[in-house]
Amino acid sequence: MKKSNSITRCDGVVRRDFLQLGMLSALGMSVADLLRWQSLAAEPKKETSCILIWLDGGPSHIDTFDPKPDAPKEVRGPFGTIPTAIPGVRLSEHLPLTVKAMGDIALVRSLTHELGNHNTGRHYLMTGHRPTPVVAYPSLGSVLAKESGFGRALPPYVIVPRTVEYSEAGYLPGAYGPFAVGGDPSKPDFRVRDLNAPEGVSIDVEARRRNVLMALDNFSREVEEGPATLARDAFYEQAYKLLGSPAAKSAFDLKKESGATRNRYGRKSIGQGCLLARRLVEAGTRFVTVVDRGWDTHQDIARNLPDARFRGSGKLPALDRAYASLLTDLRERGLLDSTLVVLMGEFGRTPKINNRAGRDHWPRAGFVSFAGGGVKGGQVIGATDAHGEVPADTPVRPEDVAHSMLKLLGVDPHKEYIAPGGRPLKILDKGKMIPGLA
Amino acid sequence: MALASDSQARPSSPQLASPRLLIVAACFLAVVVNAAERPWHFPTDILPRLTQAGCNAGKCHGAATGQGGFKLSLLGDDPAADHAAITRERGGRRIDFSNPERSLFLRKPSRDLDHKGGQKLRAQSADWKAVRDWIAAGAPFGKTDLRVTQLVVTPAELRQSAQLKVTAHFSDGQTRDVTAMALYTTQNDAVATVGKTGQVTIERPGLGAIMIRAAGQVTAARVAVPFKRELIKDFPKPRNFIDEKVFAELQRMRIPISPESGHVVFLRRATLNLTGRLPTSVEVRAFIKNLNREKLIDRLIGSEAFVDFWTIKFADLLLLDSKKLGTEPARAYRDWLRAQIKRNTPMDQVARALLTARGNVTQNAAANFQRQKTDPRDMGEFVSQTLLGIRVACARCHNHPFDRWSQADYHQFAAFFARTRVKGGELVLVERGEVRHPRTEKVMSPSPLGALKTAKADGLDYRPALADWLTRPDNPFFARAMVNRVWREMMGRGIVEPVDDLRVSNPPSNPALLDALAASFVKNKFDLRRLIRDIATSRAYQLSSRAIAANRADTQLFSRAYLKPLPAPVKADAIAQATGQPDVYAGQPKGTRAVQLLDAQVPSYTLDVFGRCPRTDNCADPTQFGGGLSSALHLINDPTLNKKLGPAIAALLKTHRTPNVMLDELFLRTLSRFPNAKERAKCLKHIAEVKGTKEGWQDLLWALLNTREFGFNH
């Protein structure tokens, strides 16, 4: 886990700055781009939104969605399995609620790639691209933000609780980066800060101040207009739009939910994060990433996934409750068809248990669980071999996952953007629709 | 493609051979000739061809697990293993000595047999023939100790389309043309593209680079294509060597400079840049009466605020963090750092102290540098990144794909730090402790990056030898890395970006400028203040940030001053100073400014949302934290900020009795200038309209703190 945060960044030497290597024409493009989306009219239409539940660290496939009950003990691991409604398909015994929601789920069991570091794997899954030193690719959330624009009061791309590497805008203007809610939604004092005017500042005063601010910004001739100033202007505009909409602001307020609903999602960070995501999507946010850390289980899975000492605690039960409740809740509210829910992390984990009773990184096999947004539920796509080492059929690559997500979200994956330097880049240049997914 | 020197003996180059020789070659007699002239050498004769064809790329056989049961080392990392894989693995079935052309090793890539990777070697091509002849000669490895020490590319800099020529220098002194075997990658295909054999085509004006890789070495050719404009004659007279280099490159690229900045703009810029604070209204008024820029620079550089501000920059660089080090050692470390900045200790001595310190981590606080990482490999990465501006991390697992560092270089460098331990609050040296090469398992003797000889220990300690190397006047990295960082602080952009990634394939935007700055820094005995003063007094630093039509697109050659967003602590302090209402930080003495805080462990949502360096990882890209919508919301709604407005206005109204005087004061305190006519009219109208005068002024102060102009150092 530590490693991902260190300065090691081997095949992922990706920074916005690299793009500046020789892009004398960068400025013109960014300005035009920003101006264009600034003028986008506010016309919200019903589109498919996305909730990405990101299991940061790389979730073990064998201990969760791709168990191998018939494999030897050192592969099978410490957990039992339970059947689903799909004949022959079993999940970990610690996912009993998810099993019941299986009718909505298309489970891909044949995710495969080669990038076994957290940063590189994260880059691959978050952007659909292998990292390269010359282009900083945008996350899929940022792509959706760009496609949606800023017409609505809510920011188009929100991340709960905080950003992770490669969840940001890449070569797109910084404004398409995620809005981070900034705190753990399971904490009792959780609130998104600065959404309300401070005491003693009425709506009239706020309007009056804004008016002066706009005038002063207009009259000042000192600061050259450029990407940095335009991004700043765009953020202020978005801030005022958000502040001016009580409905939008209340989407961030979990206290508007009943205690029963909050309990149903589970009081852990991932549960309350998923509930917050549902509220945001309901109110018009296009893409919400819920980050759940701690899946880098190099040791002692029996204590880290479910905590064997305390029944119902640990990562897996929390995920089970959050994920299943989110799907059921979306269905009950009629939102499932217009909300794509994707559950994944950067890679799977080694089929063989290591000598610390954990599993290490294993990019060659992993899972992605899709639901909603037009996905055909109640099915498993692809399979790994007997020990969960490599796909045995229908290998699915990260670019296929990205391609399929964009397609389901109504974005042409081959659409071309102009990166700084005037360079045309397709959102994705590889990848295909996962067969049978929708 | 040209045959270069006579030592470049690859007579099987069929394009240039006579028809008769071609026939001879086809009958394998060339092999004999070949072997007689110069014995085959697998690492340099065969392997580069495979690299060029993409055989050992990460997505093909170079993948960690190979491809289709055939694994090669990534980009030809491990010639011995590759040779074994090709010639011996699977009972040698990949090679057919009796009939070389029937070898799987030729039939697959030429698609004579099915090959998932497609056609990589055209049958009868030069590469194909070379491989065939090599097999016919018995597929030897050749001399095991022969290696390429350097690649030289000509032209080293391109202004128009051209054919590159690449020469390899060998460890035995011979040179050879490897143009046809090298792998070429453009770093900016908007400016230049490159063909498989090194033919560069210019696409449009701008800067770029072509990275070249062959036989384990990497080099680059710079691409600098001038704009199609008249030559600019009216560059002002350079004030110092910096101007000479900046203007020369701009002239070459035909980019004009912006005019000189106005006086009060300069005052604001220099004060923010050198001391991290805004000028006070008194300072602005005084400067207008005495417009001496040099005197201002000297006063600022000599101030305590300068010491505070540059201490925090170095503390950010060194990731000084009390959570990791403990509060007391962290405080001692910060105080030590501050003392060095205050005394203007030469930076080579600072580096030496950091690298060689030992003993009690509170009494000899420089020893905390070594506590940053416990694993010698991590420490090697940290040292190279912070002090040398080099990212070696890739070479931990395989040779660096974009730089010259091999896995051996990496582990030899890490070995410097293998014998330090922290025991009971003391940094001590122990007798045992080593770094092994992960592949060969050989114990590595410490050796600086790029050095030919291994280092000698001083007793148990190899680190003094490292410090000697690092601070030598001819060290190619340390001075360049330091001046590049300082330049970025002052100018808003490094000559190399990112500033911790000085590598051959990431060339400087103005190489002569970087060289000159580094040379001057060394000549002046690593004098930090002198360097900062040289930059601040140059015309280049003092240009206006307003673009003119012909330099609007320039973002890296310094034809004007670039906008710099205020760093998080500077912005927080600026708000406190402009309102006269200091912030209160938990556990800190009253009046402590944000730039004086020990580290990011001191809680402050404002600083987090403005984007302070968390010091868990390097902050080479200061824009990667904070900002955005959260920051805008905070500036609009934060109660703490809003609570400053009332007292600020109440205090000011006591001494500033007319609206015009009051307005001047507010502008001077926030934007460091007087309002222009339109601004004045709008603001006075606002005051007249709002019933409670105090509230009207509060609105104005709030708005000024939220303006675009306030948030940038321009």
Side-chain angles (χ1 to χ4, degrees), chain B residues 339-347 526-530:
Chain B
Q340 309 314 308
I341 303 285
K342 189 166 164 66
R343 284 203 295 266
N344 198 30
T345 309
M347 291 316 291
F526 302 92
D527 182 337
L528 178 68
R529 291 195 196 196
R530 171 77 187 264

Side-chain angles (χ1 to χ4, degrees), chain A residues 29-202:
Chain A
M29 165 269 150
S30 297
V31 173
D33 202 37
L34 276 151
L35 286 175
R36 198 184 57 71
W37 63 247
Q38 273 191 310
S39 64
L40 273 178
E43 189 41 66
K45 56 175 190 247
K46 195 63 216 163
E47 295 150 317
T48 305
S49 301
C50 183
I51 297 174
L52 167 62
I53 306 171
W54 178 257
L55 305 181
D56 197 68
S60 161
H61 56 301
I62 291 181
D63 300 309
T64 59
F65 284 84
D66 189 14
K68 298 290 174 189
D70 302 326
K73 177 107 185 63
E74 68 269 21
V75 170
R76 190 172 72 230
F79 310 133
T81 61
I82 45 176
T84 67
I86 312 168
V89 173
R90 305 178 72 86
L91 301 186
S92 161
E93 61 175 321
H94 297 290
L95 294 171
L97 301 170
T98 305
V99 160
K100 290 189 196 138
M102 202 63 201
D104 287 326
I105 293 175
L107 175 59
V108 173
R109 276 179 164 173
S110 49
L111 175 70
T112 183
H113 62 100
E114 305 82 23
L115 305 182
N117 290 328
H118 292 292
N119 51 359
T120 52
R122 193 183 291 129
H123 185 284
Y124 208 174
L125 271 298
M126 285 254 177
T127 68
H129 289 269
R130 302 170 69 95
T132 109
V134 286
V135 182
Y137 287 101
S139 63
L140 293 173
S142 291
V143 168
L144 256 284
K146 180 169 167 66
E147 292 304 313
S148 310
F150 292 84
R152 297 162 220 226
L154 277 171
Y157 175 26
V158 178
I159 195 158
V160 185
R162 289 182 192 84
T163 55
V164 290
E165 208 177 11
Y166 308 124
S167 61
E168 314 232 355
Y171 64 72
L172 294 175
Y176 295 123
F179 173 66
V181 301
D184 179 348
S186 69
K187 294 273 159 64
D189 59 350
F190 168 76
R191 67 192 170 89
V192 180
R193 291 179 69 135
D194 303 320
L195 281 187
N196 293 304
E199 213 178 308
V201 179
S202 65

Side-chain angles (χ1 to χ4, degrees), chain A residues 2-28 114 117 130-134 150 153-157 163 165 168 174-175 178-182 191-201 204-206 208-240 242-243 249 252 362 364 397 420-425 430, chain B residues 58-59 63-66 186-191 204-209 225 227 253 255 265 319 324 373 378 381-382 385 391 393-396 398 400-402 488 493 497-498 500-501 503 505-507 545-547 552-557 560 563 565 605-606 609 616-618 620-621 623-624 627-639 642 645 667 673 676 678-679 682-683 686 690 695-696 698-700 702-709 712 714:
Chain A
K2 189 78 205 67
K3 195 86 212 112
S4 67
N5 296 328
S6 84
I7 48 181
T8 316
R9 207 180 287 188
C10 218
D11 30 359
V13 212
V14 182
R15 291 258 183 86
R16 228 161 290 171
D17 295 323
F18 270 102
L19 280 169
Q20 289 173 357
L21 187 77
M23 40 154 237
L24 287 168
S25 47
L27 219 93
E114 305 82 23
N117 290 328
R130 302 170 69 95
T132 109
V134 286
F150 292 84
L154 277 171
Y157 175 26
T163 55
E165 208 177 11
E168 314 232 355
F179 173 66
V181 301
R191 67 192 170 89
V192 180
R193 291 179 69 135
D194 303 320
L195 281 187
N196 293 304
E199 213 178 308
V201 179
D204 290 348
V205 173
E206 207 155 66
R208 206 170 69 198
R209 288 180 174 182
R210 190 187 176 192
N211 175 288
V212 183
L213 173 59
M214 280 165 61
L216 293 183
D217 273 339
N218 269 336
F219 294 151
S220 164
R221 288 283 159 267
E222 299 297 327
V223 173
E224 181 78 26
E225 199 165 82
T229 63
L230 287 171
R232 175 265 177 207
D233 295 354
F235 286 130
Y236 267 79
E237 203 181 311
Q238 210 192 327
Y240 277 115
L242 174 57
L243 296 175
K249 282 199 287 190
F252 287 102
W362 190 257
R364 293 176 66 78
R397 301 196 49 89
R423 176 180 182 181
L425 285 171
K430 288 185 191 152
Chain B
K59 59 183 175 185
T65 46
T186 178
Q187 301 289 67
N188 187 357
D189 57 11
V191 171
R204 72 186 75 168
L207 296 184
V225 187
F227 285 84
M253 292 294 288
I255 301 169
V265 169
L319 307 181
K324 172 163 241 158
K373 314 277 172 184
D378 294 337
E381 292 179 15
F382 176 63
Q385 194 157 10
R391 300 182 185 179
C394 296
R396 190 174 187 139
H398 48 70
H400 199 301
F402 325 113
R488 205 266 306 268
R493 190 191 191 284
E497 280 284 350
D500 56 358
D501 199 10
R503 85 189 120 78
S505 54
N506 182 26
S545 64
R546 305 280 311 181
R552 192 169 296 274
D554 165 42
T555 58
Q556 49 182 340
L557 288 172
R560 60 190 149 84
L563 287 188
Y605 180 76
T606 301
V609 88
T616 47
D617 197 347
N618 82 86
D621 174 7
T623 59
Q624 77 193 99
L629 180 58
S630 311
S631 178
L633 289 171
H634 192 67
L635 280 161
I636 296 168
N637 277 338
D638 176 42
N642 277 278
L645 304 174
F667 267 76
R673 65 174 174 87
N676 65 33
K678 279 182 181 169
E679 288 164 339
K682 168 74 193 174
C683 293
H686 181 79
V690 176
E695 272 150 47
Q698 287 183 32
D699 296 344
L700 289 184
W702 176 90
L704 284 164
L705 295 174
N706 275 276
T707 48
R708 201 186 286 142
E709 190 177 335
F712 290 94
H714 56 93

